[in-house]
């Protein structure tokens, strides 16, 4: 077994280490979600925590780690005789992102259950993690069906395995720790709320600290055991402090003044539900115990808020978690009791000179030139508008307020990654039939299995009540669910689209579709075209909020190289098919349909569009043409693509529901 990197040897990352230690002191805090860029010691620190956790007493021979003082009465290995127990280190169990459902919750031997009527159960990772740590690296990439199982176990403290009338239940209470890189996509709100605390980590910009990180890492890689031995005393000190804090924890007093501050803070930041209040109370109590105190102070409440609230406050899905610390200090000051003043000289509120009140708009909300730009967008709207300065680049326009859209789906039946957009054959969903299993059996179709085995019972010499089942009789359930798609946005950023009001509306529409993609667990990509070329502003990624950031800063102006944009999008799809052939694509072209620049730009754009139609790629054209004179160029482009066109106004209407579902019909009509 490899030697883990010592917890106390981690350089910096004070918030991360504190959050992990508080959970070691009080597992009731509810775990930690660690968000941050790659290469910031997230996984290293989490894996090192297990060495500091106190040992646990377990019933000897119990595969489910029952506590000998209060064994689970429903334990599958029970009932347990009193007295026999053993001590072992607390486990840290890692859940791989690509794990199967059987690996997580355990598996039943279906053949023995049918033939012998016995519950032959092999425990899964949830059983291994009971009374320990369940660690999920890249938790935001976890499949939805595994997320659902985690949510159930975290809510009930138990895991239930139900397979065709056979039921097994066992206790599953664990410390949930997850790490994620936000650039690869966000976490479902339901699972996000299950993490007690969250911390943001980033690499230090201090050269001395970075040097020390490299020095320690190289020393560890050269001699892991020797490096760990040099930190033995520090590890023992922290381990003893955790044990002392655990003993002190029941004696810590959470006074009414601290409770009022907790409730007021949660109300001020408009968090949903009451879990935030409870987690803050437990965290503040653990902070006091960690500091060796028996009284919760205002400083504990403040630190607890910074750890427990950022991921729970109401926010736009594309906003990064965080708290307004000035607002937090004002709330604590307003509701702080006189008996809980720290005496640190922080009683007077900071006047904040130059900071401006929180409700004031930013200086660039209404720049001097924007009023004029907003007054001029209609000029030339019926024809080719000419940007000021001879068609040069204009400053980015602000996106209009996003709105809710209905489902855009790819026609047909796919086999891509689980999601919430298009119909697909999946491991989870509605049962639509049965087939012979290819490889390991994962979802038994009981009726089809019995039907296949029934004609052979006499020939197999059946004499008892059990059904004689052989491997050839087993049938796999075929299920239909939903898949996630690659939604590739191809956005016209040329001068013909650059009137600020219109471009703001265009960005608002794309932002709305991005929000829909975020909710449906899609990958997204962004191709823009302007001037004389097209650029991949964002390669296909699961980080929809990264696409929103790129969209917000999108510059505009110049000619309209529509063909270049379509060809660039075609190249992106070609590469993505090699990487993930099962994931189907939906191309959303946002343009007024004009094509300028170069020889025969319209004909070239038509030839590029027909490449998509020939490959059967689902597409939608969002027609951004406005003004009294409409040329209908976007509609012609949609015909060439074999897709459907919709105006910006129609994008808000209920008619959007039929945009893509009739793509095949549109192709037949063309």
């Amino acid at each position: 077994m490899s030697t883990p990197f010592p917890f106390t040897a981690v350089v910096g990352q004070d918030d991360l280490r504190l959050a992990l230690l508080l959970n070691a002191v009080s597992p009731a805090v509810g775990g930690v979600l660690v968000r941050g860029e790659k290469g910031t010691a997230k996984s290293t620190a989490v894996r090192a925590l297990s060495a500091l956790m106190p040992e646990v007493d377990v019933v000897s021979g119990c595969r489910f780690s029952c506590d000998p003082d209060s064994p689970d009465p429903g334990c599958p290995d029970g009932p347990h005789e009193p007295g026999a127990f053993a001590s072992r280190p607390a486990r840290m169990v890692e859940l791989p992102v690509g794990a199967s459902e059987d690996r997580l919750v355990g598996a039943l031997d279906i053949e023995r259950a049918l033939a012998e009527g016995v519950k032959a159960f092999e425990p899964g990772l949830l059983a291994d993690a009971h009374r320990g740590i369940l660690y999920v690296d890249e938790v935001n990439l976890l499949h939805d069906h595994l997320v659902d199982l985690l949510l159930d176990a975290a809510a009930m403290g138990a895991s239930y395995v139900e397979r065709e009338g056979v039921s097994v239940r066992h206790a599953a209470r664990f410390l949930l720790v997850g790490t994620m890189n936000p650039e690869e996509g966000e976490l479902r709100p339901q699972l996000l709320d299950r993490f007690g605390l969250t911390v943001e980590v980033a690499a230090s910009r201090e050269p001395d600290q970075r040097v020390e990180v490299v020095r320690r890492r190289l020393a560890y890689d050269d001699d892991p055991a020797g490096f760990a031995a040099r930190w033995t005393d520090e590890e023992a000190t922290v381990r003893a402090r955790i044990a002392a804090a655990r003993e002190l924890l029941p004696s810590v007093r959470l006074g009414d003044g601290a409770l009022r501050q907790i409730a007021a803070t949660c109300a001020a930041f408009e968090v949903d539900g009451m879990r935030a209040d409870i987690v803050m109370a437990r965290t503040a109590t653990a902070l006091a115990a960690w500091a060796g105190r028996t009284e919760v102070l205002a400083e504990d409440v403040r630190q607890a808020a910074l750890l427990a609230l950022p991921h729970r406050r109401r926010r736009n899905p594309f906003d990064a978690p965080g708290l307004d610390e000035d607002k937090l200090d004002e709330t604590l000051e307003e509701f702080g009791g006189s008996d809980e003043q720290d005496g640190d000289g922080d009683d007077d509120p900071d006047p904040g000179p130059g900071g401006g009140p929180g409700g004031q708009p930013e200086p660039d909300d209404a720049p001097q030139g924007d009023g004029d730009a907003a007054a001029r967008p209609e000029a030339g709207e019926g024809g080719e508008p000419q940007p000021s300065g001879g068609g040069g680049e204009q400053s980015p326009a602000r996106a209009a307020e996003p709105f809710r859209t209905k489902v855009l789906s790819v026609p047909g039946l796919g086999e891509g990654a689980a999601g919430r957009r298009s119909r697909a054959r999946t491991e989870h969903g509605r049962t639509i039939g049965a087939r012979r299993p290819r490889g390991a059996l994962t979802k038994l179709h009981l009726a089809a299995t019995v039907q296949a085995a029934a004609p052979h019972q006499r020939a197999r010499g059946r004499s008892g009540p059990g059904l004689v089942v052989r491997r050839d009789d087993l049938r796999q359930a075929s299920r239909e669910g939903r898949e996630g798609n690659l939604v590739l946005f191809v956005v016209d950023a040329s001068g013909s689209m650059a009137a600020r009001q219109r471009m703001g509306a265009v960005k608002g529409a794309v932002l709305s579709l991005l929000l829909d993609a975020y909710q449906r667990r899609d990958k997204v990509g962004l191709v823009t075209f302007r001037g004389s070329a097209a650029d991949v502003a964002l390669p296909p990624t699961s980080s929809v909020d990264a696409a929103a950031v790129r969209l917000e800063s999108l510059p505009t102006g110049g000619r309209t190289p529509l063909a270049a944009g379509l060809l660039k999008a075609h190249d992106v799809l070609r590469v993505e098919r090699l990487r993930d052939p099962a994931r189907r694509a939906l191309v959303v072209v946002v343009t007024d349909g004009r094509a300028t620049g170069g020889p025969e730009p319209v004909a070239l754009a038509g030839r590029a569009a027909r490449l998509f139609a020939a490959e059967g790629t689902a597409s939608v054209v969002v027609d951004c043409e406005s003004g009294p004179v409409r040329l209908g160029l976007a509609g012609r482009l949609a015909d060439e693509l074999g897709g459907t066109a919709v105006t910006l106004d129609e994008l808000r209407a209920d008619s959007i529901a039929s945009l893509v579902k009739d793509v095949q019909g549109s192709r037949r009509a063309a």
Side-chain angles (χ1 to χ4, degrees), residues 408 490 513 562 566 586-594 609 618-625 632-648 650-651 659-660 663:
L408 300 176
V490 185
L513 293 169
L562 177 57
L566 294 175
L586 172 64
V587 177
V588 180
V589 185
V590 185
T591 181
D592 55 11
R594 289 179 173 84
S619 60
V620 175
V621 177
V622 179
D623 183 0
C624 303
E625 189 176 29
L633 299 176
R636 295 179 207 171
L637 175 63
D639 292 339
E640 298 278 11
L641 287 166
T644 305
V646 58
T647 66
L648 280 175
E650 291 171 337
L651 200 59
L659 286 182
V660 183
V663 169

Side-chain angles (χ1 to χ4, degrees), residues 25 49 80 88 97 108 127 146 173 184 197 212-213 227 252 268 335 368 386 430 435 437 449 468 498 503 538 630:
V25 171
L49 177 67
H80 298 300
R88 61 163 176 78
V97 169
L108 288 167
L146 298 182
R173 292 183 296 276
E184 297 172 338
L197 310 179
E212 187 60 24
V213 169
F227 182 82
V252 175
F335 289 90
Q368 188 64 35
Q386 298 298 321
R430 179 172 57 92
R435 58 176 173 80
T449 298
V468 181
M503 198 61 198
L538 184 72
R630 292 179 177 269

Side-chain angles (χ1 to χ4, degrees), residues 68-368:
D69 293 332
S70 57
D72 180 10
C75 177
D77 285 355
H80 298 300
E81 295 295 330
F85 73 94
S87 295
R88 61 163 176 78
R91 290 175 180 160
M92 192 191 74
V93 178
E94 293 197 39
L95 171 61
V97 169
S100 67
E101 180 179 337
D102 287 346
R103 185 72 186 97
L104 178 62
V105 301
L108 288 167
D109 188 331
I110 299 295
E111 293 184 54
R112 288 192 63 193
L114 287 174
E116 304 173 29
V118 298
K119 296 180 182 179
F121 180 70
E122 184 66 27
L125 295 177
L126 290 180
D128 292 342
H130 179 47
R131 303 178 64 205
I133 303 171
L134 181 63
Y135 171 48
V136 189
D137 194 14
E138 306 293 351
V139 64
N140 51 323
L141 304 183
L142 202 63
H143 288 301
D144 278 353
H145 68 283
L146 298 182
V147 171
D148 292 338
L149 293 170
L150 274 182
L151 287 172
D152 288 343
M156 296 183 291
S159 174
Y160 292 83
V161 184
E162 304 284 348
R163 292 290 176 83
E164 310 295 348
V166 181
S167 176
V168 173
R169 174 214 164 272
H170 65 83
R173 292 183 296 276
F174 46 81
L175 179 62
L176 182 61
V177 180
T179 57
M180 60 175 282
N181 183 349
E183 293 178 357
E184 297 172 338
E186 282 293 345
L187 201 60
R188 278 176 57 182
Q190 295 94 329
L191 183 57
L192 187 64
D193 189 51
R194 284 292 172 186
F195 287 96
L197 310 179
T198 185
V199 291
E200 297 279 337
V201 296
S204 172
R205 299 298 184 257
E206 292 293 331
D208 291 343
Q209 194 170 84
R210 296 175 74 96
V211 166
E212 187 60 24
V213 169
V214 174
R215 181 181 291 120
R216 293 186 187 183
R217 185 70 214 190
L218 293 178
Y220 171 77
D221 290 341
D222 290 341
D223 182 10
F227 182 82
R230 293 198 294 273
W231 293 88
T232 300
D233 292 342
E234 289 83 352
E235 293 281 287
T237 300
V238 173
R239 192 179 298 110
R241 187 175 174 185
I242 291 173
R246 281 195 169 194
E247 291 183 8
L248 183 62
L249 188 65
S251 304
V252 175
R253 176 180 173 273
L254 182 65
D256 290 342
L259 279 173
R260 281 196 301 271
Q261 287 182 316
I262 290 171
T265 301
C266 292
F269 286 97
E270 298 182 329
V271 297
D272 293 326
M274 294 298 297
R275 184 174 285 118
D277 303 63
I278 296 170
V279 171
M280 269 190 69
R282 289 172 173 165
T283 305
T285 304
L287 280 162
W290 178 248
R293 289 185 269 101
T294 57
E295 186 80 17
V296 173
L297 304 180
E299 63 193 60
D300 300 321
V301 176
R302 186 183 192 279
Q303 184 64 60
L306 293 175
L307 293 173
L309 296 188
H311 60 304
R312 290 189 169 90
R313 68 176 181 85
R314 290 187 180 180
R315 60 187 179 95
N316 186 292
F318 301 135
D319 295 338
L323 286 185
D324 182 342
E325 294 195 32
D326 290 338
K327 180 178 179 180
L328 173 60
D329 290 336
E330 291 173 3
T331 304
L332 294 176
E333 176 69 21
E334 180 181 354
F335 289 90
S338 59
D339 58 332
E340 295 192 9
Q341 298 300 326
D342 298 335
D344 293 334
D346 293 334
D347 294 343
D348 295 330
D350 184 358
Q360 290 296 319
E362 296 179 4
D364 61 350
D365 275 358
Q368 188 64 35

